[in-house]
Amino acid sequence: WESFPTNLDPRFAQDQASQRVLALTHQGLLKRDSSLVLVPDACKTWRWERPYTELAFEFPNAGGFSFTTGARLTAADALDTLEALRDPQLRSPKAGAFKEAIEALWVEAKGDRDILRVKLRQPNPGFPSNLVRETFAITPRGIHGPQAPGSGGYRVTHREPEQRLVLEPRLEHPDFRGKPRPL
C-alpha cells in the first residue's frame, strides 16, 4: 500500500487502502465483474422495479453469506446499514448520496426470500454504483463502527495502527470454494 488504511469503519473509510480492506472483509449489495458490470454481491438478484427510481434486492432466507460471528447476512442488515448512513447525526462523507437520493427504504417478505426496496427521490441511473462493497460495506443490524464484523472472504485478525494489519482467509466463504485466493 502507498499508505496504511486510515479508517476501517465502513461509514467513514474513503482512502484507497481502507476501501481495499473493506472489499476483502465485507460484502456490498453489488460488485463489479471482470467487465465492470454491476452484479449481485450480498443479494441473490437485483433489478430496477421502476426505471431509475425503485430498486429491488432479493435475499434468500437460507444460505447466502454469513458474518464472521456466524450470523447470516440478511436484507434487514443491508437496510440497517443504509439507515445508519442516512442518520442525520452521522457526519460521514459517504452519507450524502444516501441522505439526498433515497426517499424510502423497506424490506418485504416474499415466501422463501426477503426483498430490500430502495425508492429514489428522482430518476438516477447511476445510483447503484454507490452500493458496491468498496463504498457500501454491509454490517450486522445494530452494529456499526470499525469493529463491526464483515461477511467477506477475509477477517481482520490483528491490528497495529499505522504499522500492521493481518487478514486471515475465511475458507468457508462462498468466494473461495475451499481455496484462498491471493491478495
Side-chain angles (χ1 to χ4, degrees):
W1 294 330
E2 289 180 18
S3 63
F4 198 79
T6 59
N7 195 332
L8 294 183
D9 183 334
R11 300 168 304 166
F12 294 95
Q14 278 200 294
D15 62 283
Q16 181 182 16
S18 298
Q19 289 183 350
R20 287 178 67 193
V21 170
L22 289 173
L24 294 169
T25 59
H26 290 72
Q27 303 299 136
L29 281 169
L30 304 172
K31 64 182 177 182
R32 294 195 182 273
D33 67 11
S34 60
S35 300
L36 301 179
V37 173
L38 292 172
V39 296
D41 191 11
C43 60
K44 184 176 180 180
T45 63
W46 79 283
R47 65 186 173 280
W48 285 104
E49 288 282 296
R50 290 190 180 90
Y52 311 127
T53 58
E54 190 174 318
L55 289 154
F57 302 91
E58 292 188 21
F59 289 77
N61 285 335
F65 294 100
S66 63
F67 293 103
T68 56
T69 59
R72 191 173 57 80
L73 189 152
T74 67
D77 297 312
L79 173 71
D80 184 72
T81 302
L82 278 166
E83 288 290 10
L85 280 166
R86 296 180 69 218
D87 180 348
Q89 302 299 317
L90 185 69
R91 296 181 189 268
S92 167
K94 294 181 174 186
F98 302 104
K99 288 179 182 175
E100 294 164 16
I102 296 174
E103 180 177 317
L105 296 163
W106 68 98
V107 172
E108 293 176 1
K110 294 277 189 175
D112 63 345
R113 58 196 157 94
D114 287 338
I115 301 173
L116 169 63
R117 296 196 183 276
V118 179
K119 184 176 181 183
L120 303 178
R121 294 185 201 284
Q122 58 188 10
N124 185 346
F127 183 79
S129 64
N130 292 308
L131 303 173
V132 296
R133 61 172 74 168
E134 292 85 354
T135 56
F136 177 73
I138 300 171
T139 58
R141 185 174 27 179
I143 304 173
H144 305 288
Q147 303 301 326
S151 59
Y154 291 86
R155 78 177 92 231
V156 176
T157 59
H158 183 73
R159 275 181 229 207
E160 293 174 30
E162 297 297 321
Q163 294 178 8
R164 189 172 178 211
L165 185 66
V166 178
L167 302 178
E168 173 184 286
R170 297 177 61 211
L171 299 181
E172 73 279 5
H173 194 272
D175 284 354
F176 283 125
R177 303 187 204 318
K179 297 180 182 177
R181 62 182 177 184
L183 291 176

mmCIF file of all heavy atoms in Angstrom, residues 98-123:
data_model
loop_
_atom_site.group_PDB
_atom_site.id
_atom_site.type_symbol
_atom_site.label_atom_id
_atom_site.label_comp_id
_atom_site.label_asym_id
_atom_site.label_seq_id
_atom_site.Cartn_x
_atom_site.Cartn_y
_atom_site.Cartn_z
ATOM 1 N N PHE A 98 -26.759 8.923 0.035
ATOM 2 C CA PHE A 98 -27.859 8.173 0.639
ATOM 3 C C PHE A 98 -28.891 9.100 1.276
ATOM 4 O O PHE A 98 -30.087 8.854 1.180
ATOM 5 C CB PHE A 98 -27.299 7.177 1.657
ATOM 6 C CG PHE A 98 -26.312 6.235 1.034
ATOM 7 C CD1 PHE A 98 -24.959 6.376 1.237
ATOM 8 C CD2 PHE A 98 -26.740 5.214 0.195
ATOM 9 C CE1 PHE A 98 -24.051 5.519 0.642
ATOM 10 C CE2 PHE A 98 -25.845 4.352 -0.412
ATOM 11 C CZ PHE A 98 -24.491 4.504 -0.187
ATOM 12 N N LYS A 99 -28.444 10.177 1.910
ATOM 13 C CA LYS A 99 -29.377 11.125 2.520
ATOM 14 C C LYS A 99 -30.173 11.882 1.467
ATOM 15 O O LYS A 99 -31.359 12.113 1.620
ATOM 16 C CB LYS A 99 -28.620 12.123 3.400
ATOM 17 C CG LYS A 99 -28.086 11.536 4.685
ATOM 18 C CD LYS A 99 -27.327 12.592 5.464
ATOM 19 C CE LYS A 99 -26.735 12.025 6.726
ATOM 20 N NZ LYS A 99 -25.892 12.997 7.439
ATOM 21 N N GLU A 100 -29.497 12.272 0.397
ATOM 22 C CA GLU A 100 -30.134 13.122 -0.612
ATOM 23 C C GLU A 100 -30.933 12.340 -1.644
ATOM 24 O O GLU A 100 -31.970 12.794 -2.106
ATOM 25 C CB GLU A 100 -29.063 13.958 -1.317
ATOM 26 C CG GLU A 100 -28.400 14.948 -0.384
ATOM 27 C CD GLU A 100 -27.107 15.508 -0.939
ATOM 28 O OE1 GLU A 100 -26.864 15.368 -2.151
ATOM 29 O OE2 GLU A 100 -26.336 16.082 -0.155
ATOM 30 N N ALA A 101 -30.472 11.162 -2.021
ATOM 31 C CA ALA A 101 -31.086 10.446 -3.140
ATOM 32 C C ALA A 101 -32.243 9.535 -2.732
ATOM 33 O O ALA A 101 -33.193 9.365 -3.483
ATOM 34 C CB ALA A 101 -30.039 9.620 -3.877
ATOM 35 N N ILE A 102 -32.174 8.948 -1.529
ATOM 36 C CA ILE A 102 -33.166 7.935 -1.153
ATOM 37 C C ILE A 102 -34.389 8.585 -0.512
ATOM 38 O O ILE A 102 -34.280 9.337 0.455
ATOM 39 C CB ILE A 102 -32.555 6.900 -0.187
ATOM 40 C CG1 ILE A 102 -31.445 6.130 -0.903
ATOM 41 C CG2 ILE A 102 -33.621 5.949 0.339
ATOM 42 C CD1 ILE A 102 -30.674 5.175 -0.019
ATOM 43 N N GLU A 103 -35.545 8.242 -1.043
ATOM 44 C CA GLU A 103 -36.814 8.725 -0.479
ATOM 45 C C GLU A 103 -37.340 7.762 0.573
ATOM 46 O O GLU A 103 -37.824 8.176 1.610
ATOM 47 C CB GLU A 103 -37.843 8.886 -1.592
ATOM 48 C CG GLU A 103 -39.185 9.389 -1.091
ATOM 49 C CD GLU A 103 -40.157 9.618 -2.219
ATOM 50 O OE1 GLU A 103 -39.738 10.171 -3.259
ATOM 51 O OE2 GLU A 103 -41.324 9.242 -2.065
ATOM 52 N N ALA A 104 -37.266 6.443 0.284
ATOM 53 C CA ALA A 104 -37.807 5.449 1.215
ATOM 54 C C ALA A 104 -37.055 4.134 1.072
ATOM 55 O O ALA A 104 -36.517 3.821 0.011
ATOM 56 C CB ALA A 104 -39.293 5.225 0.934
ATOM 57 N N LEU A 105 -37.035 3.371 2.180
ATOM 58 C CA LEU A 105 -36.424 2.041 2.235
ATOM 59 C C LEU A 105 -37.361 1.119 2.982
ATOM 60 O O LEU A 105 -37.972 1.527 3.969
ATOM 61 C CB LEU A 105 -35.112 2.085 3.033
ATOM 62 C CG LEU A 105 -33.968 2.909 2.517
ATOM 63 C CD1 LEU A 105 -32.950 3.143 3.620
ATOM 64 C CD2 LEU A 105 -33.309 2.168 1.366
ATOM 65 N N TRP A 106 -37.478 -0.123 2.544
ATOM 66 C CA TRP A 106 -38.245 -1.095 3.299
ATOM 67 C C TRP A 106 -37.891 -2.504 2.847
ATOM 68 O O TRP A 106 -37.334 -2.697 1.781
ATOM 69 C CB TRP A 106 -39.741 -0.827 3.190
ATOM 70 C CG TRP A 106 -40.365 -1.055 1.847
ATOM 71 C CD1 TRP A 106 -41.042 -2.160 1.421
ATOM 72 C CD2 TRP A 106 -40.394 -0.146 0.741
ATOM 73 N NE1 TRP A 106 -41.487 -2.001 0.141
ATOM 74 C CE2 TRP A 106 -41.098 -0.767 -0.306
ATOM 75 C CE3 TRP A 106 -39.893 1.136 0.522
ATOM 76 C CZ2 TRP A 106 -41.312 -0.169 -1.540
ATOM 77 C CZ3 TRP A 106 -40.102 1.733 -0.712
ATOM 78 C CH2 TRP A 106 -40.807 1.085 -1.716
ATOM 79 N N VAL A 107 -38.195 -3.495 3.713
ATOM 80 C CA VAL A 107 -37.978 -4.908 3.400
ATOM 81 C C VAL A 107 -39.332 -5.591 3.349
ATOM 82 O O VAL A 107 -40.179 -5.383 4.226
ATOM 83 C CB VAL A 107 -37.079 -5.593 4.463
ATOM 84 C CG1 VAL A 107 -37.011 -7.094 4.237
ATOM 85 C CG2 VAL A 107 -35.679 -4.994 4.442
ATOM 86 N N GLU A 108 -39.546 -6.384 2.308
ATOM 87 C CA GLU A 108 -40.768 -7.178 2.159
ATOM 88 C C GLU A 108 -40.410 -8.651 2.224
ATOM 89 O O GLU A 108 -39.420 -9.068 1.619
ATOM 90 C CB GLU A 108 -41.414 -6.927 0.796
ATOM 91 C CG GLU A 108 -41.960 -5.564 0.581
ATOM 92 C CD GLU A 108 -42.507 -5.385 -0.839
ATOM 93 O OE1 GLU A 108 -42.470 -6.352 -1.641
ATOM 94 O OE2 GLU A 108 -42.964 -4.288 -1.143
ATOM 95 N N ALA A 109 -41.206 -9.434 2.927
ATOM 96 C CA ALA A 109 -41.033 -10.889 2.938
ATOM 97 C C ALA A 109 -41.869 -11.469 1.801
ATOM 98 O O ALA A 109 -43.040 -11.145 1.656
ATOM 99 C CB ALA A 109 -41.487 -11.461 4.273
ATOM 100 N N LYS A 110 -41.264 -12.298 0.975
ATOM 101 C CA LYS A 110 -41.952 -12.948 -0.157
ATOM 102 C C LYS A 110 -41.616 -14.436 -0.136
ATOM 103 O O LYS A 110 -40.707 -14.887 -0.830
ATOM 104 C CB LYS A 110 -41.492 -12.353 -1.493
ATOM 105 C CG LYS A 110 -41.873 -10.928 -1.711
ATOM 106 C CD LYS A 110 -43.267 -10.819 -2.228
ATOM 107 C CE LYS A 110 -43.542 -9.395 -2.655
ATOM 108 N NZ LYS A 110 -44.804 -9.214 -3.272
ATOM 109 N N GLY A 111 -42.304 -15.206 0.681
ATOM 110 C CA GLY A 111 -42.073 -16.645 0.739
ATOM 111 C C GLY A 111 -40.684 -16.994 1.230
ATOM 112 O O GLY A 111 -40.330 -16.710 2.359
ATOM 113 N N ASP A 112 -39.866 -17.574 0.347
ATOM 114 C CA ASP A 112 -38.531 -18.027 0.732
ATOM 115 C C ASP A 112 -37.459 -16.952 0.562
ATOM 116 O O ASP A 112 -36.270 -17.244 0.569
ATOM 117 C CB ASP A 112 -38.144 -19.261 -0.079
ATOM 118 C CG ASP A 112 -38.047 -18.965 -1.571
ATOM 119 O OD1 ASP A 112 -38.533 -17.902 -2.023
ATOM 120 O OD2 ASP A 112 -37.478 -19.801 -2.291
ATOM 121 N N ARG A 113 -37.868 -15.703 0.428
ATOM 122 C CA ARG A 113 -36.902 -14.625 0.230
ATOM 123 C C ARG A 113 -37.413 -13.325 0.836
ATOM 124 O O ARG A 113 -38.606 -13.156 1.071
ATOM 125 C CB ARG A 113 -36.610 -14.435 -1.254
ATOM 126 C CG ARG A 113 -37.841 -14.130 -2.060
ATOM 127 C CD ARG A 113 -37.594 -14.341 -3.557
ATOM 128 N NE ARG A 113 -38.846 -14.567 -4.232
ATOM 129 C CZ ARG A 113 -39.567 -13.620 -4.822
ATOM 130 N NH1 ARG A 113 -39.145 -12.388 -4.828
ATOM 131 N NH2 ARG A 113 -40.694 -13.911 -5.409
ATOM 132 N N ASP A 114 -36.486 -12.446 1.101
ATOM 133 C CA ASP A 114 -36.793 -11.087 1.543
ATOM 134 C C ASP A 114 -36.307 -10.140 0.457
ATOM 135 O O ASP A 114 -35.281 -10.382 -0.172
ATOM 136 C CB ASP A 114 -36.088 -10.750 2.850
ATOM 137 C CG ASP A 114 -36.703 -11.449 4.044
ATOM 138 O OD1 ASP A 114 -37.876 -11.852 3.960
ATOM 139 O OD2 ASP A 114 -36.003 -11.599 5.063
ATOM 140 N N ILE A 115 -37.043 -9.060 0.254
ATOM 141 C CA ILE A 115 -36.682 -8.089 -0.773
ATOM 142 C C ILE A 115 -36.470 -6.730 -0.118
ATOM 143 O O ILE A 115 -37.358 -6.205 0.542
ATOM 144 C CB ILE A 115 -37.773 -7.986 -1.860
ATOM 145 C CG1 ILE A 115 -37.977 -9.347 -2.522
ATOM 146 C CG2 ILE A 115 -37.393 -6.922 -2.890
ATOM 147 C CD1 ILE A 115 -39.131 -9.386 -3.485
ATOM 148 N N LEU A 116 -35.263 -6.190 -0.294
ATOM 149 C CA LEU A 116 -34.966 -4.826 0.129
ATOM 150 C C LEU A 116 -35.337 -3.922 -1.027
ATOM 151 O O LEU A 116 -34.896 -4.122 -2.157
ATOM 152 C CB LEU A 116 -33.476 -4.678 0.448
ATOM 153 C CG LEU A 116 -32.971 -3.244 0.646
ATOM 154 C CD1 LEU A 116 -33.634 -2.579 1.846
ATOM 155 C CD2 LEU A 116 -31.467 -3.224 0.757
ATOM 156 N N ARG A 117 -36.175 -2.937 -0.754
ATOM 157 C CA ARG A 117 -36.586 -1.990 -1.784
ATOM 158 C C ARG A 117 -36.025 -0.610 -1.441
ATOM 159 O O ARG A 117 -36.065 -0.175 -0.291
ATOM 160 C CB ARG A 117 -38.094 -1.931 -1.897
ATOM 161 C CG ARG A 117 -38.681 -3.260 -2.347
ATOM 162 C CD ARG A 117 -40.095 -3.098 -2.836
ATOM 163 N NE ARG A 117 -40.675 -4.371 -3.190
ATOM 164 C CZ ARG A 117 -40.518 -4.972 -4.354
ATOM 165 N NH1 ARG A 117 -39.802 -4.409 -5.295
ATOM 166 N NH2 ARG A 117 -41.090 -6.143 -4.600
ATOM 167 N N VAL A 118 -35.499 0.047 -2.460
ATOM 168 C CA VAL A 118 -34.933 1.385 -2.328
ATOM 169 C C VAL A 118 -35.643 2.275 -3.338
ATOM 170 O O VAL A 118 -35.571 2.043 -4.540
ATOM 171 C CB VAL A 118 -33.413 1.381 -2.610
ATOM 172 C CG1 VAL A 118 -32.845 2.782 -2.497
ATOM 173 C CG2 VAL A 118 -32.678 0.415 -1.682
ATOM 174 N N LYS A 119 -36.360 3.281 -2.824
ATOM 175 C CA LYS A 119 -37.059 4.226 -3.694
ATOM 176 C C LYS A 119 -36.289 5.536 -3.687
ATOM 177 O O LYS A 119 -36.027 6.114 -2.629
ATOM 178 C CB LYS A 119 -38.489 4.448 -3.205
ATOM 179 C CG LYS A 119 -39.298 5.335 -4.116
ATOM 180 C CD LYS A 119 -40.728 5.456 -3.645
ATOM 181 C CE LYS A 119 -41.511 6.335 -4.595
ATOM 182 N NZ LYS A 119 -42.883 6.531 -4.137
ATOM 183 N N LEU A 120 -35.941 6.009 -4.886
ATOM 184 C CA LEU A 120 -35.184 7.245 -5.026
ATOM 185 C C LEU A 120 -36.118 8.443 -5.213
ATOM 186 O O LEU A 120 -37.218 8.298 -5.752
ATOM 187 C CB LEU A 120 -34.236 7.139 -6.224
ATOM 188 C CG LEU A 120 -33.262 5.966 -6.179
ATOM 189 C CD1 LEU A 120 -32.409 5.931 -7.452
ATOM 190 C CD2 LEU A 120 -32.379 6.015 -4.946
ATOM 191 N N ARG A 121 -35.666 9.609 -4.796
ATOM 192 C CA ARG A 121 -36.464 10.830 -4.916
ATOM 193 C C ARG A 121 -36.698 11.220 -6.372
ATOM 194 O O ARG A 121 -37.737 11.759 -6.724
ATOM 195 C CB ARG A 121 -35.780 11.987 -4.201
ATOM 196 C CG ARG A 121 -35.695 11.817 -2.710
ATOM 197 C CD ARG A 121 -35.109 13.056 -2.058
ATOM 198 N NE ARG A 121 -34.564 12.785 -0.746
ATOM 199 C CZ ARG A 121 -35.288 12.605 0.341
ATOM 200 N NH1 ARG A 121 -36.594 12.676 0.285
ATOM 201 N NH2 ARG A 121 -34.707 12.358 1.492
ATOM 202 N N GLN A 122 -35.711 10.979 -7.212
ATOM 203 C CA GLN A 122 -35.817 11.302 -8.633
ATOM 204 C C GLN A 122 -35.013 10.279 -9.422
ATOM 205 O O GLN A 122 -34.165 9.597 -8.852
ATOM 206 C CB GLN A 122 -35.326 12.718 -8.906
ATOM 207 C CG GLN A 122 -33.907 12.972 -8.486
ATOM 208 C CD GLN A 122 -33.563 14.441 -8.601
ATOM 209 O OE1 GLN A 122 -34.403 15.301 -8.806
ATOM 210 N NE2 GLN A 122 -32.288 14.753 -8.481
ATOM 211 N N PRO A 123 -35.269 10.131 -10.707
ATOM 212 C CA PRO A 123 -34.533 9.144 -11.504
ATOM 213 C C PRO A 123 -33.016 9.354 -11.413
ATOM 214 O O PRO A 123 -32.530 10.476 -11.497
ATOM 215 C CB PRO A 123 -35.028 9.387 -12.932
ATOM 216 C CG PRO A 123 -36.379 10.001 -12.753
ATOM 217 C CD PRO A 123 -36.274 10.841 -11.501
#
